[in-house]
């Protein structure tokens, strides 16, 4: 069943809607008719029944002049004094000046809602020197605290020359997240000083260094098959065309033909562009 307001509510709203804003109109109707309108419910009621108030929306200046939630002048103070001031410090200033309590998070959200910039990122700026730079542990935590820390970490601290118990030997082969085989070639160095792609290494063992702009690919599209008979050299442009046009296959002969066709298409397009 749809609830219907009595006619006196409609008459009252119709009479006063052009003179009062929704908040004041709701209070008037509630007082006269015993209803429980809020400002938003009154707005919906007017919209549903075509009672227009003809009032324009408040400008930002009017809003801060007539609003009652925040102390008068607080917005202007925050707006004019925020640059270089953290949310915590600004919240303390507002409490001291206006007696209005806001948490640092509340102040941050207030400034974000109203487009007030502080210029404070909370990040270390480029060139900032850490407070403990060049200091020994004892200098910034004290000798007693430093002794406790050293004692606590001693049991799990790597000693010079130690090797992890699960470290793989030279020649070990693993599979990375992209499905390629990697082979360990030495124990020390960075990641790519210690590891190499197996299919590239096999090609170079048989044919020498891979030229710039070229790449090794698999004839049968199987990344696990790194036998030299299954590897071929293509340009990066050929590879892109083969992927885009679907010229790869599990059949090595079809993939080789696809590489040839891709090279032909690249040559034709290049010729056309040169003529234009």
């Amino acid at each position: 069943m749809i609830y219907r307001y009595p006619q006196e509510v409609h008459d009252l709203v119709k009479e006063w809607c052009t003179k009062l804003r929704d908040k004041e109109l709701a209070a008037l109707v509630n007082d006269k008719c015993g209803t429980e309108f809020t400002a938003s419910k009154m707005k919906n009621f007017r919209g549903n029944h075509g009672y227009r108030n003809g009032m324009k929306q408040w400008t930002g200046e009017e809003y801060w002049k007539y609003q009652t939630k925040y102390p008068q002048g607080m917005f202007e103070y925050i707006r004019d004094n925020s640059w270089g001031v953290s949310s915590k410090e600004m919240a303390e200033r507002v409490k001291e000046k206006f007696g209005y309590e806001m948490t640092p998070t509340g102040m941050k959200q207030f400034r974000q809602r109203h487009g007030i910039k502080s210029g404070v990122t909370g990040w270390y700026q480029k060139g900032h020197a850490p407070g403990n730079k060049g200091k020994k542990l004892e200098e910034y935590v004290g000798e007693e605290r430093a002794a406790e820390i050293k004692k606590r970490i001693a049991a799990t601290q790597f000693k010079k020359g130690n090797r992890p118990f699960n470290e793989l030997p030279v020649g070990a082969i693993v599979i990375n997240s992209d499905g390629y085989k990697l082979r360990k070639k030495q124990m020390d160095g960075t990641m790519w000083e210690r590891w190499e792609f197996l299919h590239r290494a096999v090609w170079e063992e048989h044919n020498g260094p891979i030229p710039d702009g070229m790449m090794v690919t698999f004839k049968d599209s199987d990344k696990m098959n790194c036998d030299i008979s299954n590897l071929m050299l293509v340009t990066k442009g050929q590879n892109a065309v083969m992927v885009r046009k679907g010229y790869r296959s599990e059949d090595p002969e079809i993939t080789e033909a696809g590489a040839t066709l891709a090279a032909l298409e690249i040559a034709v397009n290049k010729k056309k562009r040169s003529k234009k």
Side-chain angles (χ1 to χ4, degrees):
M1 178 179 177
I2 300 176
Y3 180 78
R4 297 182 183 279
Y5 289 101
Q7 186 60 41
E8 62 176 322
V9 170
H10 288 264
D11 294 340
L12 200 57
V13 171
K14 188 175 182 180
E15 179 184 355
W16 289 95
C17 67
T18 58
K19 304 171 186 176
L20 300 175
R21 292 195 177 273
D22 290 326
K23 185 176 180 180
E24 291 79 10
L25 182 58
L28 174 66
V29 175
N30 291 342
D31 182 57
K32 296 285 186 180
C33 304
T35 53
E36 296 181 353
F37 280 109
T38 62
S40 60
K41 286 183 179 179
M42 178 56 70
K43 180 179 179 181
N44 293 336
F45 178 82
R46 289 192 302 97
N48 292 338
H49 297 284
Y51 302 139
R52 309 297 179 190
N53 63 10
M55 295 184 179
K56 65 177 183 178
Q57 292 292 322
W58 276 348
T59 64
E61 185 178 341
E62 289 173 330
Y63 172 79
W64 288 110
K65 182 178 179 181
Y66 295 111
Q67 64 82 33
T68 57
K69 181 178 180 180
Y70 301 108
Q72 288 296 318
M74 189 185 89
F75 167 75
E76 291 81 0
Y77 177 81
I78 295 174
R79 180 194 63 197
D80 298 338
N81 296 279
S82 274
W83 193 256
V85 180
S86 68
S87 296
K88 181 180 179 181
E89 185 181 348
M90 181 54 71
E92 292 171 352
R93 290 188 187 183
V94 166
K95 181 179 179 181
E96 181 179 350
K97 187 173 181 63
F98 298 96
Y100 188 86
E101 286 200 37
M102 295 180 77
T103 64
T105 300
M107 177 58 68
K108 178 182 178 181
Q109 293 171 345
F110 179 91
R111 296 200 291 195
Q112 286 177 338
R113 283 198 305 273
H114 300 293
I116 301 172
K117 306 292 184 182
S118 69
V120 179
T121 64
W123 309 332
Y124 282 121
Q125 302 303 311
K126 187 176 182 180
H128 173 83
N132 60 353
K133 182 179 181 180
K135 295 182 180 179
K136 294 183 178 180
L137 184 63
E138 291 80 2
E139 293 181 77
Y140 63 91
V141 300
E143 293 186 3
E144 185 176 344
R145 176 64 176 154
E148 292 178 7
I149 294 173
K150 290 180 178 179
K151 183 178 179 180
R152 188 176 68 248
I153 67 177
T156 57
Q157 193 173 27
F158 277 112
K159 306 298 186 295
K160 189 174 181 179
N162 279 6
R163 292 284 185 180
F165 72 92
N166 60 347
E167 186 176 40
L168 295 173
V170 172
I173 295 175
V174 298
I175 300 172
N176 71 1
S177 58
D178 294 321
Y180 290 97
K181 286 184 176 180
L182 300 178
R183 183 172 67 188
K184 193 167 189 178
K185 58 181 180 178
Q186 64 184 50
M187 297 299 291
D188 299 310
T190 63
M191 166 69 182
W192 294 114
E193 288 174 346
R194 290 180 288 118
W195 293 88
E196 62 186 352
F197 283 104
L198 182 59
H199 65 289
R200 290 174 59 90
V202 169
W203 175 270
E204 290 182 335
E205 288 168 4
H206 288 80
N207 301 285
I210 299 170
D212 290 340
M214 306 290 285
M215 60 178 288
V216 179
T217 190
F218 305 89
K219 294 179 182 179
D220 65 357
S221 301
D222 182 7
K223 297 176 183 177
M224 296 293 100
N225 185 0
C226 295
D227 189 86
I228 187 60
S229 63
N230 188 50
L231 303 177
M232 66 177 180
L233 203 63
V234 297
T235 66
K236 293 180 179 179
Q238 276 178 282
N239 181 65
V241 173
M242 292 171 71
V243 172
R244 187 171 67 251
K245 296 292 188 69
Y247 290 164
R248 293 186 177 278
S249 170
E250 294 179 359
D251 186 328
E253 292 184 359
I254 294 177
T255 302
E256 289 182 277
T260 302
L261 185 57
L264 182 60
E265 289 184 15
I266 291 171
V268 170
N269 291 332
K270 186 177 180 180
K271 191 70 174 177
K272 288 180 179 179
R273 286 196 298 271
S274 66
K275 287 186 177 181
K276 289 181 181 180

